């Protein structure tokens, strides 16, 4: 009998994946453990190997389409064998699990399984109960018409159905899996966290001089993120509320500093995590930042690198940026944006001179951090950045 290969759960709560590229066409031979298909999850592009050798009889979805975990991904059999009519994964079984693309919600009528029941995961059903939403009235936009969290929240927030509004003209471009995930996270963070941002400038003259000296000594560039993280370690140890998670009425103060660093990719922002940053030397931090940056741009980071940051650093200065109001990732209480150091007139000892000034923007969760504490945190960080001897020896 043919081998019916279902989309596996490849980690971190994956519920669906988008087909990026088939490596073996229908009718083509495949060896066991050779790459069969590339899929894009919420955070990475993953190669999935064939579970058995044979001939690919069917693809469960076309490139650009999305499948739910457990849906038929591919069928592998013997050369000349045919996947039976009436049981085609792409026509009925798997086809019913595909997403319908970016065309919209259609109406409010719910999508049902063959037995008439509403198709929704338990977490979505719980969300609907919490908001008093009848799932039978919700239009599902997930694979096979499955109702998603976004569908429920659209009803809660009063987003009109497509048949209630006039269609928008213009070209429609489907968002990538990563872009859709970013959108969901940003919306949730902005909705749930009361954001406040404070700003400060640091005279980066000595920091940049030290950076150049280290680069010359070691024969490699030193990422600014590595220097800033090293300067942050003693500050976050002193102000532990900035390295924490708000859990209901309790604040979880984390024992280690797992720093997320924002990496700009062609598809969108990724935030790989440097585990236990406080235990790494400056050069170890530099190597780790560089490695994660390369892997992030190649979308080759594993799930273990992309979850559970306790604090985040985003270097908007790498792209020429100055100040910003960064969005705080869920599960954390603060985020630091570092801008590009630029020659700026400053006053020293009553005289005007020119110095390399680095803008800093600290976003914090006002539920647990007040403005005064945030400013003291930023003041201490500026002290370290302006006098690198205060942290480089650590």
């Amino acid at each position: 009998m043919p081998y019916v290969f279902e989309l596996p759960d490849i980690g971190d709560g994956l519920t669906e994946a988008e087909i990026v590229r088939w490596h073996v066409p229908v009718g083509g031979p495949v060896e066991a453990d050779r790459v069969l298909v590339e899929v894009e999850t919420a955070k990475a592009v993953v190669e999935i190997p064939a579970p058995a050798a044979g001939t690919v009889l069917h693809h469960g979805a076309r490139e650009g389409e999305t499948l739910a975990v457990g849906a038929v991904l591919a069928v592998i059999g013997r050369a000349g064998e045919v996947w039976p009519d009436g049981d085609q994964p792409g026509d009925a079984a798997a086809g019913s699990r595909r997403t319908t693309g970016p065309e919209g919600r259609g109406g409010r009528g719910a999508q049902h399984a063959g037995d008439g029941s509403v198709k929704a995961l338990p977490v979505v059903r719980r969300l609907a109960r919490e908001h008093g939403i009848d799932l039978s009235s919700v239009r599902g936009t997930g694979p096979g018409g499955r109702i998603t969290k976004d569908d429920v929240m659209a009803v809660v927030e009063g987003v009109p159905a497509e048949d209630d509004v006039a269609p928008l003209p213009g070209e429609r471009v489907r968002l990538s899996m990563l872009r859709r995930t970013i959108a969901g996270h940003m919306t949730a963070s902005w909705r749930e966290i009361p954001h406040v941002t404070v700003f400060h400038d640091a005279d980066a003259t000595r920091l940049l001089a030290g950076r150049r000296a280290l680069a010359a000594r070691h024969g490699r560039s030193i990422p600014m993120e590595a220097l800033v993280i090293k300067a942050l370690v003693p500050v976050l140890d002193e102000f532990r509320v900035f390295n924490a998670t708000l859990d209901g009425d309790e604040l979880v103060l984390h024992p280690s500093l797992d720093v997320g660093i924002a990496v700009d990719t062609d598809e969108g922002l990724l935030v790989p995590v440097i585990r236990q940053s406080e235990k790494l030397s400056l050069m170890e931090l530099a190597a780790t930042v560089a490695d994660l940056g390369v892997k992030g741009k190649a979308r080759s980071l594993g799930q273990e690198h992309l979850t559970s940051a306790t604090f985040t650093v985003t270097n908007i200065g790498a792209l020429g940026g100055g100040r910003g109001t960064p969005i705080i990732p869920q599960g954390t209480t603060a985020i630091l944006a570092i801008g590009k150091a630029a020659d700026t007139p400053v006053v020293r000892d009553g005289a005007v001179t020119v110095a390399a000034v680095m803008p800093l923007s600290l976003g914090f969760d006002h539920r647990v951090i007040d403005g005064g504490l945030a400013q003291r945190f930023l003041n201490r960080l500026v002290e370290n950045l302006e006098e690198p001897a205060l942290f480089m020896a650590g």
Side-chain angles (χ1 to χ4, degrees), residues 68-130:
V69 167
V72 176
L73 177 62
V75 179
I76 300 173
R78 298 187 301 272
E81 194 170 13
V82 177
W83 185 244
D85 290 337
D87 195 21
Q88 291 280 1
D91 296 336
S96 66
R97 295 183 177 96
R98 295 176 185 170
T99 57
T100 56
E103 287 75 22
R105 297 182 181 278
R108 288 293 192 215
Q111 293 292 312
H112 297 265
D115 58 3
S117 61
V118 173
K119 298 170 67 174
L121 295 174
V123 65
V124 176
R125 295 178 183 274
R126 183 169 64 249
L127 180 65
R129 287 196 301 271
E130 291 172 353

Side-chain angles (χ1 to χ4, degrees), residues 230 233-234 278-283 285 388-394:
K230 195 66 175 175
V233 168
E278 73 281 2
K279 295 183 178 180
L280 301 180
S281 69
L282 178 57
M283 295 311 298
L285 281 171
L390 295 174
F391 69 87
M392 279 192 177

Side-chain angles (χ1 to χ4, degrees), residues 167-183:
L168 295 174
E171 180 184 5
R172 291 179 179 269
V173 179
R174 180 171 173 79
L175 297 178
S176 68
M177 177 74 75
L178 175 59
R179 192 74 257 170
R180 299 197 300 271
T181 301
I182 292 171

Side-chain angles (χ1 to χ4, degrees), residues 106-166:
R108 288 293 192 215
Q111 293 292 312
H112 297 265
D115 58 3
S117 61
V118 173
K119 298 170 67 174
L121 295 174
V123 65
V124 176
R125 295 178 183 274
R126 183 169 64 249
L127 180 65
R129 287 196 301 271
E130 291 172 353
H131 289 281
I133 302 298
D134 179 5
L135 283 179
S136 66
S137 67
V138 180
R139 172 73 175 180
T141 63
R146 177 168 52 82
I147 298 172
T148 68
K149 287 184 179 181
D150 288 343
D151 296 330
V152 174
M153 291 311 301
V155 176
V156 173
E157 297 169 1
V159 177
E162 186 181 84
D163 52 8
D164 297 331
V165 297

Side-chain angles (χ1 to χ4, degrees), residues 277-363:
S277 299
E278 73 281 2
K279 295 183 178 180
L280 301 180
S281 69
L282 178 57
M283 295 311 298
E284 288 173 332
L285 281 171
T288 303
V289 169
D291 180 61
L292 292 178
V294 171
K295 290 180 177 178
K297 290 182 183 298
R299 300 294 304 280
S300 61
L301 291 164
Q303 294 291 339
E304 70 277 8
H305 293 124
L306 292 165
T307 58
S308 305
T310 60
F311 187 88
T312 304
V313 173
T314 176
N315 183 7
I316 61 177
L319 298 175
R323 301 186 188 280
T325 53
I327 295 181
I328 304 161
Q330 288 184 292
T332 65
T333 59
I335 180 172
L336 178 72
I338 52 179
K340 181 180 180 179
D343 288 344
T344 306
V346 298
V347 178
R348 287 180 181 167
D349 301 324
V352 176
T353 187
V354 174
V357 174
M358 176 189 293
L360 303 173
S361 308
L362 177 68

